[in-house]
Amino acid sequence: MTSDPMSPPKPVAPTNPPLTRTALRRNRIVAVTGLTGVWMLLWGTLSWANLISGLVLSVVLLAVFPLPPVTFAGRIRPVPLARFWVRFLRDLVVASAQIAWLAVRIGKPPLSAIIAVPLRVNTDLNLTLTAEALSLVPGSLIIEADRTTGTLYVHVIGVRSREEVERFRQGVLDLEARIVAAIGSPDELRRVTQPHAAGPSEPTHPEGVPR
């Protein structure tokens, strides 16, 4: 059955409909909470002074440099969120011990590499949270984030083989999955549980790692 060529076309819903006032308010609260959390992590001390100064700084930053509207389509899940923090704190302790050992051990300097990791959920929020969590762990540092492809380029210390490159890449994807499980939408959860479409990442301009 063909449609009448003279009939008016059906209206198409906009791909990015304007956010409601409730959604805007919720996004601001999420942004302030996230910025305050990063501020306190950077200070490394849990105190009322850091909390209040982080809240004030977050509000000022959002007022002076307003962020583009980022739709938070997920929901906060307390149990996965607690699991994320427990694993994140564990990674902080383990990575700190590993970097301390690399600094004091006798031998050749540790090798390093820049590894490209394409994420499965290509949103600004997921890209930012995953990059922040990686940068706060000693031994890894984000040097570039490609918003078009959702790819993080991470400088990693102590990489000696392609197997370790792939192991690190899988660790980043596991970190992304924990973040999505804590605050992601059902669709994002499905994406992180499906097999990753991209092949194994290769170190870009590795320092000592064979190509």
Side-chain angles (χ1 to χ4, degrees), residues 89-126:
L89 294 175
R90 171 186 173 275
D91 290 343
L92 280 179
V93 175
V94 173
S96 299
Q98 292 174 342
I99 296 300
W101 167 246
L102 291 176
V104 301
R105 73 181 180 90
I106 300 175
K108 295 181 179 180
L111 303 177
S112 60
I114 298 174
I115 305 175
V117 185
L119 302 182
R120 292 161 291 187
V121 178
N122 187 9
T123 64
D124 288 343
L125 182 61
N126 182 65

Side-chain angles (χ1 to χ4, degrees), residues 5-53:
M6 300 300 295
S7 60
K10 294 182 179 180
V12 179
T15 55
N16 295 309
L19 298 178
T20 63
R21 183 174 300 178
T22 302
L24 287 173
R25 186 182 303 112
R26 180 184 61 181
N27 287 354
R28 292 193 185 100
I29 293 175
V30 172
V32 169
T33 303
L35 290 173
T36 303
V38 171
W39 174 260
M40 297 186 69
L41 286 173
L42 291 174
W43 276 102
T45 303
L46 182 62
S47 65
W48 285 109
N50 287 339
L51 176 61
I52 295 173
S53 61

Side-chain angles (χ1 to χ4, degrees), residues 132-154:
E132 289 287 351
L134 278 174
S135 295
L136 290 171
V137 175
S140 59
L141 179 67
I142 303 295
I143 62 172
E144 185 179 351
D146 190 340
R147 294 178 60 193
T148 304
T149 61
T151 301
L152 295 177
Y153 295 88
V154 194

